[in-house]
Amino acid sequence: MKVSVFITCLVDQLCPNVGVSMVAVLRRVGCEVVFDERQTCCGQPAFNTGYRNEAQKFAKRFIKIFEESAAEAIVSPSGSCVAMVKHFHELFPTDEKWRERAGKIAARTHEFGSFLVNVLKVEDVGASSTGRITWHDACHGLRDLNIRDEPRRLLKNVKGVEFVEMSNADVCCGFGGTFSVKFPEISAGILDNKIESIEKADVCAVVSGDASCLMQIGGRLSRLDSKVKPMHLAEILACQNHLR
Amino acid sequence: MHLTSETFDQNARDALRDPVLHGALRNLADNFVERRRAAIASVDDWEGLREKARVIKEQTLCHLDRYLLQFVENAEKAGVKFHWARDGKEACGIVLNLLKKRGAKHVVKSKSMATEEIHLNAALEAEGIEPVETDLGEWIIQLAGETPSHIVVPAIHKTKAQIADLFVDKVGIEKTDDVDVLTRTARNILRQRFAEAEVGISGVNFGVAETGTIVILENEGNIRLTTGLPKTHIAVMGIEKIIPKFADLDVFLKLLPRSGTGQRLTAYQSIITGVKRNVTDEGPDEIHIVLMDNGRSRMLAHPVTRQSLACIRCGACLNACPVYQQVGGHAYGSVYPGPIGAVITPQLIGISKAKQLPYASSLCGACREVCPVKIDIPELLLHLRAEITDGTAGGAESNPQRKRKFTESLAFRMYGFAWSGPVSYGLGIKAARLMQKLVVRDGRIGKVSGFVAKLLPPLGAWTAWRDAPAVAERSFREQWRDGLGNNSQWSVVSGQ
Ligand code: SF4
C-alpha cells in the first residue's frame, strides 16, 4: 500500500527519529512510503487556543497538499494531530465544498498504530527488544480516535519485552498544548501523578503514541534524572535486537 | 473571603500548595471514579442509555417553550403556583416576597445548585431571614461561612478533623472524632429546625411536562422533610430541568445516581405532583415554583452552547477531571466548578469575568467520556475560546468590545507566517537552532531564567518544571532528503 507520511511539527523538528522509525516499520510491513516536503503544521495549536481563522488557513493548506497525493493512506505518528485533521470540517461551518474536501482527507488519515492493526491487519511487526515497558494512552488517540487495544496488541508482540499496565494509564499527562505553559503549575501537578504511576510500574521505558505527551513526560523524567526512558510506539516497533 | 473566577490562576496556585485539600481531592478521585465504574457495570447497555438521554435532552431543549408551557399547565392543574424570573435578582426577589407575605421567620432549605447560583441565602439574610441548610454537607459549609466546592459533595474539601473543630466552635459540642456523634449532633439540631419551619425551599432535578411533576433525588431524607413538613414549599428551578414524559425518568434515574455517587439509586426520590388533595393528607398547603432563566435562553440560542443546558448536575465530570483533581472547586471562583463549571460560569457571569476558565483544561476529554448525557465539554471549551479570541463572546454583557491578548495573537500570527510554506518554515527552524545554542546542554534545555525566560515566557514556564528537547540537528525532512526517501530497503535497527 502506498502511504503518505504526515510527520507533524514536533516529530519533524524535535524527535525526527520517531519519523525515521515509523518509515522503517511501514516499509518492513510492505508499504511504499512517500513524503511531501511542502507539508507544515495541521493548525492544532491555533485551533485549540481559539484562533479559528489561522487554523482554517492551515487546514486548507494541508487539504490541498494531501489531495494531490495518490497515496491511499495518510499516516501520522501522532494521535492528536490526526484528531485535528478529523476536526477540519468544523472549521468550515458554512462552506459545503470545503467540508466535503475536509471529510475526504480525514477518512484517509490514520494514526500509526491504528493503521497497522485496523487497516493493514498487522499486529506483529517483527520487532524485538528487552526490558519491561508500559503504555501511556495519549488523550486524543484514546478519546477522539478510540485507540485503546491497538498499541497494546502491538507491544505485546514485541519479542523479548515484558509489557505491564501501569495504574491510570488512560489519565491525562497534563500537556494539553498551550495549557502546559498557561497553567504550568497545574500541568506539572497532573504530570507528577503520571510520573508516580510510571515509577511504580518499575519499567525501563514508557511508550506512547504522541510526541507531545512524550515531551511532557520525558521532560519531567529527565529533570528528575529518572532511569525510565520515554519512547514512541514507532521507536520500539522499529527495534530489531535479534538482527544485531 | 470568596474567590473569584477572574483570579483562577492565583487561586489554583494557592490550592496546589494546600496539602489538606490535596488529600481530600485524592480520596474523591479514587472513591468516586471507582464507584462509578462499578455502578455503570450493572447496566446492560450503558452507552445506549447515555445516547437515549442525550436525545431526550436535545429534543426537549429544541422545543423548550412548548414543554415548559405543558409543564406549567399540568402543575397548575394540580394546584402549583408559578413565578417566572428573568434573572437571579428577580428570582431572589420572588422568594423573598413569598416569605414576607407569609411572615415566615423560620425557613429550611435543601441542597440546590439553582439557589446557590443566584446566592439566595445572602439575599434572604440581607433581609433578616436566615434559611437553614439541611443537607449535612451544605449545613457544614453554611456553618463555616464558605461556598460549596463540588456540586454533589459540597464539603468535599473539608476533613473530618476540620468538621469536628467547626462543631466545637459553632454548636458547642465536646471535641470528638466519632463521625456518628457528629452526624447525630447535626440531625438533632436540624430536626428542631424542621419542626419550627414555616417554609421549605428546595431545588428540582427534573420537571415532568406530561404530568407537572417535580422530582428531587437525595440520600439523607432532608429533602423529603423540607418539601413535606412546612406549610409552604418553594421550589427554584432552571428552565432547562424539563423532561417530556414520566417514563423518561427511567433513563435519568438510572444515569444520575450511578454517575454522581456510584449508587444504583439514591436513598430517597421525592416525586411531587401538586399540593395535597384532602386536608387530612400530609404535605404542604401551597407549592410555588420559581422558573428561572438567568442566562439560559442565551445558551439555548446556539446549537453548541445549548448542550450546556443538558447537564443534570451529577458531578461526574468534576471527579474525572485532572484539573479539578489538582485545584478543587473553590479555585474556579464559581458555584459551578470543574469542566462543566468552566463552560457554564463564563456564560452566566460574562466571559470577561471568567476569561481564564475556558483555558483551564488540557482538553483530555475525560469529562466527555463520563458525562451521562454526552455533553461534548471540550467542544464547548473550544467554542468559548474561539469566542474570546474573536471578540464575539456574548456572556452576560451586551456587545462587548474585546481585544485579543496582544502578545499571544502576535505569536499566532508569526507562527501562521512561519508555517505557511517550506521556505519560511526552514528559516524559522534555522533561527531556532541558532538561538538554542544559548540554552541547550547535553541535548536538552534545563531550567531557563533571566532574560531568556523574559524573552520567551512559554519556555520559562515549560522549563520551570520540565526539561525541553532541543531542536534536532537534522530534521525528519532533512533526513528524508539525505537518503531516507530514496532507499526503499532502508530500515532502522536501534537498541532500546
Ligand atoms: S456536564 Fe455531564 S458529567 Fe458534568 S455534571 Fe453535567 S451531566 Fe454530570
Side-chain angles (χ1 to χ4, degrees):
Chain A
M1 187 183 289
K2 191 163 175 172
V3 169
S4 181
V5 169
F6 162 30
I7 195 64
T8 78
C9 323
L10 282 189
V11 171
D12 184 27
Q13 294 304 328
L14 298 179
C15 42
N17 190 48
V18 170
V20 174
S21 302
M22 183 174 88
V23 171
V25 175
L26 288 171
R27 283 178 178 156
R28 195 194 296 154
V29 296
C31 294
E32 182 195 338
V33 183
V34 296
F35 175 67
D36 192 321
E37 287 188 43
R38 291 172 302 165
Q39 65 181 271
T40 53
C41 176
C42 64
Q44 189 184 183
F47 183 72
N48 282 354
T49 317
Y51 290 84
R52 297 229 162 159
N53 291 338
E54 283 79 355
Q56 198 199 59
K57 279 182 209 142
F58 283 113
K60 283 189 173 171
R61 207 184 124 70
F62 185 99
I63 292 167
K64 278 191 210 147
I65 288 173
F66 281 96
E67 269 174 349
E68 288 173 24
S69 159
E72 292 153 86
I74 302 160
V75 176
S76 173
S78 160
S80 66
C81 298
V82 170
M84 182 63 228
V85 174
K86 309 256 177 209
H87 278 297
F88 276 172
H89 67 95
E90 291 169 27
L91 292 167
F92 309 103
T94 53
D95 192 334
E96 248 337 290
K97 280 221 176 76
W98 272 105
R99 275 177 83 86
E100 205 188 310
R101 291 170 77 176
K104 280 192 184 144
I105 287 292
R108 282 166 65 204
T109 308
H110 305 273
E111 184 275 336
F112 169 63
S114 144
F115 176 72
L116 290 174
V117 174
N118 298 325
V119 179
L120 297 181
K121 313 281 179 207
V122 176
E123 293 187 9
D124 186 344
V125 298
S128 64
S129 187
T130 51
R132 212 168 126 99
I133 58 168
T134 192
W135 172 256
H136 160 71
D137 288 291
C139 294
H140 292 146
L142 177 68
R143 297 193 187 86
D144 283 17
L145 306 175
N146 218 355
I147 299 169
R148 188 187 288 267
D149 289 342
E150 293 87 342
R152 291 177 167 81
R153 280 193 242 157
L154 289 161
L155 289 176
K156 282 174 190 164
N157 279 315
V158 178
K159 310 240 158 23
V161 306
E162 182 193 354
F163 175 80
V164 291
E165 274 300 337
M166 65 173 155
S167 62
N168 299 322
D170 60 354
V171 173
C172 181
C173 68
F175 175 68
T178 45
F179 171 78
S180 63
V181 289
K182 270 189 202 272
F183 301 105
E185 299 88 356
I186 306 176
S187 172
I190 299 171
L191 174 56
D192 275 342
N193 287 346
K194 181 58 65 176
I195 299 293
E196 198 185 306
S197 291
I198 294 169
E199 295 290 0
K200 262 200 207 134
D202 191 22
V203 289
C204 58
V206 52
V207 188
S208 190
D210 234 306
S212 48
C213 305
L214 290 168
M215 193 165 84
Q216 164 95 341
I217 295 172
R220 188 73 181 147
L221 288 171
S222 158
R223 177 64 54 89
L224 298 171
D225 280 323
S226 167
K227 289 192 297 291
V228 184
K229 204 177 137 185
M231 269 188 118
H232 191 279
L233 178 66
E235 290 177 298
I236 189 151
L237 295 184
C239 289
Q240 290 193 303
N241 282 4
H242 64 286
L243 295 185
R244 283 217 276 195
Chain B
M1 199 202 65
H2 294 169
L3 304 170
T4 68
S5 303
E6 274 166 309
T7 53
F8 173 80
D9 51 355
Q10 187 54 49
N11 306 344
R13 276 194 288 275
D14 293 342
L16 282 163
R17 279 193 287 267
D18 180 346
V20 177
L21 177 65
H22 244 229
L25 290 170
R26 248 207 167 172
N27 281 342
L28 170 89
D30 291 350
N31 291 337
F32 279 67
V33 170
E34 253 333 294
R35 267 193 256 163
R36 175 190 166 275
R37 205 169 281 164
I40 68 172
S42 67
V43 178
D44 280 342
D45 181 15
W46 179 254
E47 287 310 310
L49 204 60
R50 288 175 75 211
E51 180 58 19
K52 256 192 206 158
R54 188 192 68 76
V55 170
I56 294 172
K57 276 289 182 185
E58 188 182 273
Q59 286 175 353
T60 315
L61 290 169
C62 285
H63 306 284
L64 190 57
D65 49 345
R66 205 175 74 207
Y67 287 116
L68 266 172
L69 291 179
Q70 194 191 359
F71 171 69
V72 171
E73 195 185 318
N74 287 325
E76 275 177 344
K77 270 188 220 153
V80 174
K81 300 264 179 335
F82 276 90
H83 311 264
W84 298 79
R86 258 170 305 197
D87 54 26
K89 211 168 146 212
E90 262 185 33
C92 290
I94 291 166
V95 175
L96 193 64
N97 253 339
L98 289 170
L99 296 180
K100 278 187 176 163
K101 270 199 197 135
R102 280 153 195 79
K105 293 272 170 315
H106 304 97
V107 178
V108 284
K109 205 172 146 283
S110 61
K111 185 175 149 17
S112 136
M113 289 312 297
T115 58
E116 291 286 352
E117 174 187 322
I118 60 176
H119 307 291
L120 179 64
N121 285 3
L124 299 186
E125 278 159 26
E127 298 285 327
I129 303 171
E130 194 184 342
V132 179
E133 292 288 351
T134 59
D135 172 90
L136 183 56
E138 285 284 348
W139 189 59
I140 291 168
I141 295 301
Q142 191 177 33
L143 283 182
E146 295 177 6
T147 53
S149 68
H150 189 289
I151 61 180
V152 175
V153 257
I156 189 68
H157 58 285
K158 287 209 160 313
T159 61
K160 199 169 66 179
Q162 287 174 330
I163 294 168
D165 287 344
L166 186 71
F167 277 35
V168 172
D169 190 28
K170 300 278 173 169
V171 296
I173 61 163
E174 298 276 315
K175 186 158 171 100
T176 173
D177 56 3
D178 186 338
V179 178
D180 281 344
V181 173
L182 293 174
T183 43
R184 213 176 315 125
T185 308
R187 193 177 306 135
N188 288 340
I189 295 173
L190 290 174
R191 289 271 147 147
Q192 192 70 40
R193 300 287 171 269
F194 280 122
E196 60 199 19
E198 296 109 5
V199 179
I201 301 175
S202 79
V204 170
N205 286 108
F206 303 101
V208 184
E210 178 183 57
T211 54
T213 305
I214 57 174
V215 181
I216 321 173
L217 310 182
E218 54 149 340
N219 282 313
E220 296 173 10
N222 65 305
I223 294 189
R224 178 141 303 185
L225 292 172
T226 304
T227 59
L229 220 48
K231 278 204 161 69
T232 305
H233 169 202
I234 304 172
V236 181
M237 76 185 266
I239 52 171
E240 83 284 15
K241 293 285 169 195
I242 303 290
I243 55 172
K245 297 206 176 70
F246 201 80
D248 296 333
L249 281 173
D250 179 43
V251 174
F252 292 102
L253 293 194
K254 276 187 188 134
L255 287 170
L256 180 52
R258 283 181 171 83
S259 302
T261 46
Q263 294 171 287
R264 289 185 178 208
L265 201 57
T266 47
Y268 298 87
Q269 300 83 38
S270 297
I271 299 176
I272 304 167
T273 312
V275 292
K276 60 184 173 191
R277 311 286 187 273
N278 306 303
V279 271
T280 49
D281 287 352
E282 288 181 5
D285 298 335
E286 338 169 56
I287 298 179
H288 296 263
I289 296 180
V290 182
L291 272 170
M292 176 174 86
D293 182 337
N294 204 28
R296 286 164 175 77
S297 49
R298 215 168 29 231
M299 298 183 209
L300 201 59
H302 191 287
V304 174
T305 54
R306 187 182 301 150
Q307 291 182 76
S308 333
L309 297 176
C311 174
I312 56 174
R313 309 278 189 260
C314 73
C317 59
L318 279 61
N319 305 339
C321 176
V323 176
Y324 181 89
Q325 286 172 14
Q326 288 297 316
V327 304
H330 286 153
Y332 291 81
S334 159
V335 293
Y336 299 115
I340 191 63
V343 161
I344 293 182
T345 306
Q347 299 188 78
L348 281 181
I349 67 171
I351 213 150
S352 64
K353 292 202 199 88
K355 242 190 205 156
Q356 297 184 43
L357 295 189
Y359 295 94
S361 163
S362 68
L363 301 176
C364 76
C367 46
R368 180 182 56 202
E369 188 176 66
V370 298
C371 176
V373 290
K374 294 177 80 169
I375 300 175
D376 194 340
I377 295 176
E379 184 190 19
L380 274 156
L381 292 169
L382 286 171
H383 179 89
L384 292 173
R385 291 180 187 185
E387 286 200 341
I388 291 173
T389 52
D390 290 349
T392 55
E397 308 108 310
S398 54
N399 197 19
Q401 267 267 250
R402 259 170 247 307
K403 275 195 218 110
R404 289 171 170 211
K405 217 171 143 195
F406 177 72
T407 43
E408 184 180 278
S409 107
L410 182 72
F412 272 99
R413 262 182 282 144
M414 276 166 61
Y415 141 89
F417 167 72
W419 261 244
S420 63
V423 178
S424 47
Y425 178 78
L427 276 175
I429 296 303
K430 283 212 180 84
R433 273 188 205 151
L434 205 64
M435 273 172 46
Q436 72 174 1
K437 294 222 156 68
L438 287 170
V439 285
V440 172
R441 304 275 175 277
D442 303 326
R444 63 188 182 192
I445 304 171
K447 199 172 192 148
V448 303
S449 51
F451 97 97
V452 184
K454 281 224 180 68
L455 196 67
L456 293 167
L459 188 65
W462 178 275
T463 59
W465 304 93
R466 304 145 281 213
D467 290 344
V471 176
E473 274 315 309
R474 300 298 284 164
S475 67
F476 177 84
R477 66 189 66 224
E478 285 164 322
Q479 295 190 43
W480 184 266
R481 263 178 250 148
D482 291 349
L484 177 61
N486 305 329
N487 183 356
S488 62
Q489 294 309 306
W490 209 88
S491 98
V492 189
V493 183
S494 64
Q496 191 183 307

